Amino acid sequence: MKKSILIIIIFFLNLTIKAQTKWFTIYQDSIALMRDANEISEKFKNDVSSFRTDKKFETKTILNTTPYLIFFDGQNRVNIPLWSQVLPELKAFTKEVTGSEEEGKRMFGLFFNGFYLIHEYGHAYQETYDFENSRVSYQNEHLANTIAMLYWRKIGKNKELEQCYELAKKMFVKLLNPVPEGMTKEDYFTKNYEQATQNPFVYAYMQFGQFIEIYENKSLPSFDEFMKLNFQK
């Protein structure tokens, strides 16, 4: 009996390791995508349960490919995309900002089947426990990106984050600064958030700019320290 239990434990540990290894890549199979996304998101929810123990954080992951690609819908769901279902116009965008079709696919895997899963769970967590301050803004995007960066570091995804960083820098130099003279980027994106999301080049300027800034910030605390500071009561 003990041996059987040990085999079962090893089996589920291997599933977890495989999910964490494959994540940050392109998925061709929607079943594998959802399996791995759920594995990672459940681990995240378990990891943050110590900061607030009321069990109100019940967000789930669903497969729903839209022009927004990956997003928290305010109804306890993080919507994630499958590459084969992405609109041709958005695939063309990934190719243009990265320089090639293959690099565009790699970018999609690194960010949209990778980094941004926890970014969206960061939004969900804030809406659950800090609803009054969870309205869309530059600052809330920065918070979600910081949560994601620190969490991926916590679970050892430094290699993947470095790949995201190098590609983000490569893409960022190709993006025009949409912020009018006399406005701060914080004010511009907060006041024009909905319009920005309609233009992938404008929205990418904000998101990749934030990613680079947060990645390069050597003064950030650990994930646990950051979450305690911002959410623990």
Side-chain angles (χ1 to χ4, degrees):
M1 177 63 73
K2 288 183 179 179
K3 186 176 291 186
S4 299
I5 293 173
L6 180 60
I7 291 172
I8 292 171
I9 291 172
I10 292 172
F11 173 76
F12 281 106
L13 282 175
N14 284 336
L15 284 181
T16 301
I17 292 170
K18 286 180 181 178
Q20 293 179 0
T21 300
K22 184 170 175 55
W23 202 247
F24 287 85
T25 62
I26 284 284
Y27 282 76
Q28 304 298 336
D29 178 4
S30 62
I31 295 176
L33 172 67
M34 288 303 301
R35 179 196 64 218
D36 292 354
N38 283 322
E39 189 79 46
I40 292 167
S41 57
E42 287 303 313
K43 183 181 187 313
F44 175 80
K45 288 192 289 184
N46 182 65
D47 285 352
V48 299
S49 63
S50 62
F51 306 121
R52 301 292 288 263
T53 59
D54 54 19
K55 301 186 184 300
K56 290 182 179 180
F57 187 44
E58 299 178 339
T59 302
K60 304 294 183 183
T61 306
I62 65 170
L63 176 62
N64 180 28
T65 308
T66 76
Y68 293 102
L69 295 183
I70 185 167
F71 62 99
F72 171 63
D73 61 13
Q75 300 179 40
N76 266 339
R77 297 177 303 197
V78 169
N79 297 246
I80 64 173
L82 184 68
W83 174 254
S84 62
Q85 299 173 354
V86 172
L87 291 174
E89 297 87 343
L90 290 175
K91 289 183 176 180
F93 160 75
T94 67
K95 178 180 178 181
E96 184 171 346
V97 294
T98 60
S100 71
E101 185 174 328
E102 282 305 308
E103 278 292 275
K105 289 176 65 176
R106 187 170 77 92
M107 182 272 272
F108 182 88
L110 284 171
F111 284 98
F112 297 100
N113 286 161
F115 179 81
Y116 287 128
L117 175 64
I118 300 301
H119 169 107
E120 298 304 333
Y121 269 87
H123 281 310
Y125 195 83
Q126 184 187 26
E127 181 167 296
T128 301
Y129 293 115
D130 189 20
F131 183 77
E132 290 184 2
N133 294 315
S134 65
R135 291 167 294 182
V136 292
S137 68
Y138 184 91
Q139 289 78 9
N140 287 338
E141 291 301 319
H142 198 278
L143 176 69
N145 278 319
T146 303
I147 289 173
M149 186 75 70
L150 296 178
Y151 185 72
W152 290 122
R153 283 178 179 167
K154 175 182 177 177
I155 65 171
K157 289 299 181 180
N158 296 302
K159 178 182 176 181
E160 289 80 358
L161 289 175
E162 183 179 7
Q163 292 173 343
C164 288
Y165 172 66
E166 294 299 334
L167 192 52
K169 288 195 300 180
K170 178 181 176 182
M171 293 184 290
F172 191 70
V173 297
K174 296 182 179 181
L175 299 170
L176 295 177
N177 182 355
V179 182
E181 187 175 349
M183 284 189 77
T184 65
K185 57 187 176 183
E186 291 83 359
D187 285 343
Y188 174 77
F189 282 106
T190 297
K191 293 176 180 178
N192 300 280
Y193 186 86
E194 290 302 323
Q195 297 94 314
T197 62
Q198 306 302 312
N199 186 326
F201 293 93
V202 173
Y203 198 62
Y205 182 89
M206 179 186 71
Q207 289 292 350
F208 295 138
Q210 286 193 0
F211 183 96
I212 294 166
E213 174 194 336
I214 295 166
Y215 184 91
E216 292 177 347
N217 186 349
K218 304 302 182 183
S219 66
L220 287 174
S222 69
F223 174 78
D224 287 0
E225 291 170 333
F226 183 84
M227 296 300 285
K228 288 176 183 177
L229 179 64
N230 285 277
F231 295 105
Q232 192 171 57
K233 286 188 174 180

